Amino acid sequence: DTAVSQTPKYLVTQMGNDKSIKCEQNLGHDTMYWYKQDSKKFLKIMFSYNNKELIINETVPNRFSPKSPDKAHLNLHINSLELGDSAVYFCASSLSGATNEKLFFGSGTQLSVL
Amino acid sequence: KQEVTQIPAALSVPEGENLVLNCSFTDSAIYNLQWFRQDPGKGLTSLLLIQSSQREQTSGRLNASLDKSSGRSTLYIAASQPGDSATYLCAVSPDYKLSFGAGTTVTVRA
């Protein structure tokens, strides 16, 4: 069973569209994250939720809106997509968000904005 | 601002050779350092996590060392195999957020 699963794996869309990426974890973790991997392969955190509450918001444009209906799900909605949003987006989770915990990552969603 | 650098960006070795991957970070005030493996089209898999109070961690053929004072970590992979081919990333945790390096892409030739 996949521990952290995200859908879709690939997303190709036009500028200006609105799209969502879904993430689910079956590890029983309290904390979930969204990371963005840019073309230079650097991973940067975007958001973190602990038990459905936002705890990290890393200066991400407000076109990006995370939503956590329960602690096992953290979805990412993006409005008015721009060319610069093209990247690979990774969902991750950890047990409680403590700094000594391993992170478990999903397989990524490659977003291409045309 | 924490900056994490991994050198070299790519490495190609024959099967059986030991691998040495380097990671350096600018701010030594970290809670831990993690090494991840990323396979093409797949997510990251955590390999080793070293707490700031530790100097090394071992798992099978993998050994990671941490020298906080010099801002360096090294990942050793003994007796490399073609299945070790992947991108290896290090990440440091100064708080709740991980700061990642860009990774070292390793190719092990059979």
Side-chain angles (χ1 to χ4, degrees), chain A residues 11-17 19 80-87 110-114:
Chain A
L11 189 51
V12 181
T13 188
Q14 300 286 333
M15 268 196 333
N17 283 351
K19 290 293 178 185
S80 303
L81 278 155
E82 300 177 357
L83 293 176
D85 297 332
S86 296
Q110 185 166 336
L111 173 63
S112 299
V113 182
L114 307 177

Side-chain angles (χ1 to χ4, degrees), chain A residues 9 33 35 37 40-43 45 55-56 58 90 97 99-103 105-107, chain B residues 4 31-32 34 36 38 41-44 46-47 49 51 93 95-98 100-102:
Chain A
K9 189 169 178 62
Y33 311 81
Y35 279 83
Q37 188 172 38
K40 295 182 180 178
K41 303 301 182 185
F42 281 103
L43 272 148
I45 191 164
I55 56 173
I56 296 175
E58 275 297 291
F90 287 97
T99 55
N100 62 345
E101 294 171 352
K102 287 187 176 183
L103 261 64
F105 280 81
S107 58
Chain B
V4 182
Y31 284 109
N32 64 53
Q34 295 190 52
F36 293 87
Q38 184 175 22
K42 296 186 179 179
L44 282 71
S46 180
L47 298 173
L49 184 153
Q51 304 290 353
S93 175
D95 45 38
Y96 290 103
K97 302 170 287 188
L98 287 177
F100 281 84

Side-chain angles (χ1 to χ4, degrees), chain B residues 13 22 24 38-39 52 81 92-93:
Chain B
V13 299
N22 298 303
S24 61
Q38 184 175 22
D39 293 284
S52 62
Q81 303 168 358
V92 295
S93 175

Side-chain angles (χ1 to χ4, degrees), chain B residues 13-89:
Chain B
V13 299
E15 183 176 3
E17 192 164 302
N18 296 331
L19 285 163
V20 180
L21 308 179
N22 298 303
C23 171
S24 61
F25 47 94
T26 53
D27 186 348
S28 62
I30 62 171
Y31 284 109
N32 64 53
L33 183 145
Q34 295 190 52
W35 281 94
F36 293 87
R37 170 183 172 139
Q38 184 175 22
D39 293 284
K42 296 186 179 179
L44 282 71
T45 301
S46 180
L47 298 173
L48 291 167
L49 184 153
I50 312 176
Q51 304 290 353
S52 62
S53 58
Q54 298 174 320
R55 294 195 63 85
E56 67 176 347
Q57 276 288 332
T58 299
S59 177
R61 294 184 294 113
L62 276 61
N63 174 276
S65 64
L66 174 64
D67 184 343
K68 271 182 54 178
S69 60
S70 66
R72 294 178 189 276
S73 177
T74 302
L75 177 66
Y76 299 89
I77 304 178
S80 62
Q81 303 168 358
D84 294 329
S85 297
T87 297
Y88 293 83
L89 297 100

Side-chain angles (χ1 to χ4, degrees), chain A residues 47 49 61-67 75-79:
Chain A
F47 300 104
Y49 270 71
N62 56 17
R63 298 182 295 105
F64 290 78
S65 53
K67 285 185 173 52
N75 303 323
L76 183 65
H77 189 76
I78 315 170
N79 289 328

